[in-house]
Amino acid sequence: MRTMLVDDEPLALVHLRRQLTTIGGVEIVAECTDVREAISTAEIEKPDVVFIDIMMPEIDGLEAAQRLLDRLPHLQVVFVTAHDDFAVQAFELNAIDYVLKPAETDRLRKTLGRIARNLAATGIPPVEAPQPTIRCFGRLQVGDVAPTWRTAKARELFAFFVHRRNEIVRKDYLIEVLWPDYEYKKAYTMLYTTIYHVRKTLSGIPGVFALDSTDSGYTLDLKDAPVDVELWERMLEQAPPISLESVDQHMELFRLYRGDYLAEYDYIWAEAERERLRILWYQHALKLSAFLSITDRYEQAVDVNSRILAWFPFSEEAYWQLMKLYDALGDRAAVKRYYEHLSQMLESEFGTPPSDDIRAWYEELDIAD
């Protein structure tokens, strides 16, 4: 049975996972410490059962369970909590069980037996595994696999259909984008041949996609398969402001951006979306870095700014943040090194020195030669 665990205490998740693994018969598809993340994850993973704590910040487990049930009506809910005074409310939500912490193996074994009997009695089979995620950060993949395409154009055509997913794309527009320099008749021949190659490759991923055709064009039906860039942007929009309680969630959002949109391919039509997502990530990363800095998480802030510079090598703000962080860490040699790198980069690329604020700050440190 596909199982999701939700608790704002990481150690509680570790304990529960160990107990359930010892019993066996469960596949833990997700562990979440944040309710909003849990709701988004549940929509993707579609678990059969969720084990959820009640006392959690911002959104408690009772409200979270109601939101989950609104989206997944057949979800089996088990509350695992250190408090015994919420049982009435829990069972009003038709919870399958109410387990007090620390959950013991024998007690959880009874809970799993009750869940199995309940699923059998309702005639609802366990939910099938979800569709694989379409990965567009960096390299185009289906789940963890990069399909083998007959031609580069077949891969680009599939990528373009993902880019315009669930829309009807006209044939003449496809030709304009992918074969702009071809004679009309030859361009259509290339289109039909490439469509055949795409369908041939997708046939090796049964039940995942459908490439439908109309008189005027084609549409790629992803059959509810999630797209990583779409999920990431939705999670970013729904994330609470950065705080001590949510900073780990924001660090995960920062890490989930594994590379620019279709970065491995030189697709002109993807450039606008690539730049839009890059800017979203950059702005979020700068805010995260600022919070990590003011809360004295210097090493994490250094990692964040180093990643920013790797993808935005002309970011004067990231250079300055790194200099201030290394100053706080007492590494004056690193401060000097980054100031020199910044000065050389600005002179080489733009013919300008660092900003007045950065130069004044650096001169006050009195670490120049």
Side-chain angles (χ1 to χ4, degrees):
M1 85 188 42
R2 294 172 56 78
T3 305
M4 184 169 76
L5 314 181
V6 184
D7 198 309
D8 64 310
E9 299 178 8
L11 289 179
L13 288 175
V14 171
H15 174 76
L16 184 55
R17 182 199 332 125
R18 288 175 178 169
Q19 298 292 77
L20 293 172
T21 302
T22 298
I23 298 169
V26 299
E27 177 192 359
I28 298 176
V29 298
E31 297 179 27
C32 302
T33 57
D34 178 82
V35 168
R36 291 182 177 84
E37 177 192 359
I39 292 170
S40 298
T41 302
E43 291 186 274
I44 299 167
E45 297 291 349
K46 296 182 172 57
D48 302 309
V49 56
V50 58
F51 287 79
I52 187 168
D53 187 22
I54 289 181
M55 298 299 291
M56 290 189 291
E58 296 189 36
I59 302 174
D60 65 40
L62 294 168
E63 182 180 348
Q66 184 60 68
R67 295 189 188 186
L68 287 166
L69 288 167
D70 288 343
R71 292 161 172 79
L72 302 170
H74 302 304
L75 182 66
Q76 307 292 298
V77 177
V78 178
F79 289 104
V80 184
T81 178
H83 305 272
D84 60 2
D85 49 352
F86 292 100
V88 173
Q89 296 100 309
F91 287 111
E92 284 177 349
L93 286 171
N94 293 321
I96 193 71
D97 210 344
Y98 187 95
V99 179
L100 292 177
K101 293 180 178 179
E104 301 296 334
T105 304
D106 288 343
R107 180 66 178 83
L108 289 171
R109 185 176 285 111
K110 292 178 181 178
T111 298
L112 292 176
R114 183 177 298 174
I115 293 168
R117 290 191 296 273
N118 195 59
L119 288 172
T122 57
I124 302 170
V127 178
E128 295 180 0
Q131 302 284 44
T133 299
I134 310 302
R135 304 192 184 280
C136 297
F137 281 131
R139 188 182 189 191
L140 181 63
Q141 294 187 182
V142 179
D144 295 325
V145 177
T148 301
W149 299 100
R150 177 73 177 272
T151 66
K153 276 298 182 188
R155 181 183 61 205
E156 183 176 2
L157 181 58
F158 174 68
F160 189 74
F161 280 133
V162 172
H163 182 71
R164 298 287 297 272
R165 52 194 172 275
N166 301 317
E167 297 180 21
I168 296 176
V169 186
R170 299 191 325 272
K171 296 175 184 178
D172 58 346
Y173 185 64
L174 287 169
I175 288 171
E176 179 184 332
V177 171
L178 275 73
W179 294 278
D181 300 324
Y182 277 63
E183 181 269 330
Y184 179 84
K185 185 175 181 180
K186 186 176 181 181
Y188 267 91
T189 300
M190 293 297 296
L191 172 62
Y192 295 140
T193 301
T194 307
I195 288 288
Y196 170 79
H197 290 320
V198 170
R199 282 184 167 144
K200 187 76 172 176
T201 299
L202 295 184
S203 67
I205 315 172
V208 179
F209 313 115
L211 184 55
D212 301 321
S213 60
T214 67
D215 290 340
S216 60
Y218 302 90
T219 182
L220 181 66
D221 181 358
L222 293 182
K223 303 290 186 181
D224 297 323
V227 180
D228 61 353
V229 294
E230 194 173 85
L231 293 175
W232 178 82
E233 187 170 4
R234 186 190 311 160
M235 291 169 66
L236 184 64
E237 290 172 352
Q238 295 175 351
I242 303 174
S243 65
L244 291 174
E245 291 74 25
S246 67
V247 66
D248 289 340
Q249 179 183 352
H250 284 274
M251 283 296 297
E252 182 63 18
L253 276 168
F254 171 78
R255 287 189 288 263
L256 283 174
Y257 192 101
R258 296 186 175 93
D260 289 333
Y261 181 65
L262 299 174
E264 291 200 10
Y265 317 105
D266 188 22
Y267 299 153
I268 295 175
W269 48 263
E271 286 181 357
E273 181 69 353
R274 183 180 300 133
E275 188 63 19
R276 186 184 72 83
L277 292 168
R278 273 170 59 84
I279 295 302
L280 283 178
W281 178 85
Y282 176 72
Q283 292 171 342
H284 176 257
L286 287 179
K287 291 177 184 176
L288 179 59
S289 166
F291 180 83
L292 293 170
S293 298
I294 64 174
T295 53
D296 299 338
R297 302 184 182 202
Y298 298 133
E299 292 184 359
Q300 284 182 300
V302 166
D303 289 342
V304 169
N305 280 283
S306 297
R307 176 82 70 85
I308 293 173
L309 275 187
W311 288 345
F312 289 83
F314 305 140
S315 173
E316 194 170 7
E317 179 65 25
Y319 270 105
W320 195 11
Q321 285 295 323
L322 278 169
M323 286 187 280
K324 289 189 284 189
L325 287 165
Y326 279 117
D327 179 50
L329 291 167
D331 189 344
R332 291 296 184 90
V335 175
K336 181 179 179 182
R337 184 171 66 252
Y338 275 100
Y339 182 81
E340 290 175 349
H341 287 173
L342 172 63
S343 299
Q344 292 167 6
M345 181 275 292
L346 290 174
E347 178 61 33
S348 172
E349 296 294 332
F350 308 108
T352 61
S355 69
D356 293 342
D357 288 342
I358 294 178
R359 280 186 291 159
W361 175 85
Y362 183 71
E363 288 167 3
E364 284 184 9
L365 295 180
D366 194 26
I367 59 174
D369 290 338

